[in-house]
Amino acid sequence: MSTAEYALGTVAACAFAAVLYVILTSSQVRDTLTSMLTDALQVGG
């Protein structure tokens, strides 16, 4: 692969990481994950 392809792949990976960061740090997702974890711990004991 050429340098341009590596650069494009790096930019795409960074963009994907930024989208995941925004999604996972949103309050709605955080509340949902917290609720799921709390429910799972209550079922176990």
Side-chain angles (χ1 to χ4, degrees):
M1 287 195 289
S2 68
T3 303
E5 290 170 334
Y6 283 121
L8 185 60
T10 301
V11 169
C14 289
F16 184 67
V19 169
L20 282 178
Y21 177 78
V22 168
I23 290 171
L24 292 176
T25 57
S26 70
S27 62
Q28 184 179 8
V29 172
R30 189 177 329 129
D31 292 343
T32 302
L33 291 174
T34 302
S35 174
M36 288 172 53
L37 182 62
T38 304
D39 291 344
L41 290 174
Q42 287 175 353
V43 169

